[in-house]
Amino acid sequence: MPPIGRRTVLKLFAGSVVGGVAWASLPMALAAPLRGSKRDIGNDADGAVARDAVLAIAFDRKLHTRLVAHGKPLTPYQPSESLLLTDGAVEDFAITGHKEQPITDARHGTGHQSVTTGRSSRNLEKEVAVTFFDNLPGFAVLQTRYRNHGAAALQVAGWRNAGHELADAPGGFWSFAGATHTDRRDWLRPLAAGFDQRNTLAMDSSDYGGGIPMADIWRRDVGLAVGHVEPVARLLDLPVRKTAGGAHIAVESPQASTLAPGQTLVTERTLLAVHTGDYFAPLRQYKQYMEAEGIVAPQAPDSAFAPVWCTWGYGRDFNIKQIMDTVPKARELGFGWVVLDDGWQTNEGDWRIDTRKFPRGEADMRDFTAKVRSQGMHPRLWIAPLAADPGSDVLHDHVDMLLLDKNGAYQTITWWNALTQCPAYQPTIDYYVALVKKVIGDWGFEGIKFDGQHLNAVAPCYNPAHKHAHPTDSVEGLAAFWRAIHQAAHEANPQAVVELCPCGTVFAFHNLPATDQYPASDPLSSWQVRSKGKTMKALMASRSSYAGDHVELSDDGDDFASTVGIGAVVSSKFTWPKDTDHPAEPLPPGGYRLTAEKEALWRKWVALYKQHMLPKGEYLGTLYDIGFDKPEAHAIAKDGAMYYAFYAKTFDGPVQLRGLGAGRHRVRDLFNEVDLGEVDSGDATIRVAFKRFVLLQATPLATRA
């Protein structure tokens, strides 16, 4: 399904394509009823219905819609698709036609599409195309077209698609928001009174933006997901708010424009999905749809699942002796990676080796990677690309690389007090491709950790030196920048691991094809480790690697259970035998020093992780609702066994082991190494008592002859 023309929302009606069918090829018929009864819709005789076996979208005479799932009405009629006018007027339409036809799409297969048409008193024509695909039940793709047949121009503030309010129910609502917020808030949140998030996919601040273009609200019994399905990043909003009677969700464009007589505005392709359980199921459907659009996680090398030890515990003022004295301890504990973090470079931008730490420059860097490999470990290097520090040579010699706003101002990166370079400017791309080839192909690193919140998204670029066809070239070009980087790394070493760590932000989905490993990215809690993990498991499955980030960032600084139990890669930044004397940030109570007590715990968890290697199992995210099921539960199938992780401050009671195969199963508490008995798949309930967590393995018993 080729996307609508992307350079402007205003264009003449000339064969735009929606759902694989050109708009111009769809003749309009007067409110032709669809096959099947409308009894469950509650629609009057002059309306229309677009539906599949799960979801029905019913249009009334004003082109308002209501949603029906499995024959049960979910919403009242609402103006779900709307043109937002600057004068605040609400444009109502009288239905004029409806047409449905089967489609076959080269990417998404067979399905059907309906187009419902209406006209307003100001002679504005509206067409809503709804496309269902047979392999995505309950998942609709919507696109709306507005054509001005009137004599006067209309001032447009934007548009809204899939705007629906779901009524309250016992237990309230949970929400998933795939947009970035500068305060690094939870991606999953209950909807308390007054909850109102704009959830913009544009920049939330100078260096925070982008995200996963889907939002979701759900009750215990049903949920609604919305988003956009364009193959490049779009500057849309996904607002979610708690209302007096329920919760409202939508996809909105805030782009202002003038719709002159004879002109047409066509919205982006948006999704609307109905589901049961939490947000995992529609997010998997979104992944499935976008894979057909070419957005696919790479198949990561095996090394991407090795435990990670990072030097960041020593901060920027590390010395090589500290690191090399700790590497044997990391190897002894079972870690497979040594990440040389921030501080090896002279500045952000030039990326030259600091000769105070590496006196022989590149020769010492090659010696470092050789020594790491001699320990049987993989060396990885930290870099924050697209950042140019004041005083750096690249900023002086290549000021043309900078991203500029429409006033000619720079986009700042707060953490390093640096300036952002434009990822859609070819000299910028060439500069970092050359750097990556040197790091991997010459210095001998086997992976790169790209770090910084600014790497998730950038603002539109107005730098005249770049000759962009449109300022949003920078927004859409960031994913292409990462693909060029990923390709360069893998050309230098096919087994290289590219880690993308956009500090604290929601991972930008369109960067997925260039990401071998995504960490929890500076989590603020163990809850963030687990909830981010469930999200990324929906998008990556087991193709790519999700890491729990430094365990020192989890609750109490030691919660490996929140990493291992969800099938994430374990990671630590411990120091040994003492902490650094010059920490880059204040040390937490007790510091990062690997005490004897910590060493025993770290050793046990790393061994447990490597023994079961749950990241390579199948994360079964639809078995438990992360919002409503208590205790919080996660399930993974691997090698014929089922693994369950339950989390709570304290818990003593029965838990359900969902998803077991037929027959009886032996249940074992893996961390405490205790057999808990047997369960039958017909009544897979077992009593457990724990603080913080319990990690269970259910193994099928041999069938007696």
Side-chain angles (χ1 to χ4, degrees), residues 3 62 65 74 144 148 153 174 196 237 285 293 303 346 376 413-414 433 463 487 640 648 651 658 671:
K62 296 191 294 185
T65 67
L74 298 181
T144 310
N148 187 358
W174 275 78
D196 191 348
D237 297 343
Q285 287 187 311
E293 295 283 322
S303 63
T346 55
I413 301 170
T414 53
V433 164
N463 192 327
Q487 180 179 342
F651 184 81
R658 300 173 185 169
F671 183 77

Side-chain angles (χ1 to χ4, degrees), residues 10 83 124 146-148 152-154 156 257-261 263-265:
L10 294 177
L83 197 61
L124 182 66
Y146 300 93
R147 184 173 178 84
N148 187 358
L154 291 174
V156 177
S257 58
T258 299
L259 189 59
Q263 284 189 311
T264 298
L265 183 152

Side-chain angles (χ1 to χ4, degrees), residues 57-60 62-67 75-84 90-93 126 128 130 142 144 146 159-165 224 226 248-252 267 270-272:
I57 303 173
F59 293 82
D60 68 10
K62 296 191 294 185
L63 260 64
H64 294 182
T65 67
R66 78 181 309 177
L67 303 180
T75 67
Y77 282 101
Q78 300 162 329
S80 53
E81 284 68 49
S82 302
L83 197 61
L84 307 177
V90 176
E91 201 76 4
D92 272 336
F93 297 82
K126 174 182 177 180
V128 183
V130 180
L142 293 84
T144 310
Y146 300 93
W159 52 262
R160 177 186 299 123
N161 275 358
H164 293 280
E165 180 175 349
L224 295 178
V226 304
H248 189 273
I249 194 168
V251 180
E252 294 184 2
T267 72
T270 55
L271 72 91
L272 171 64

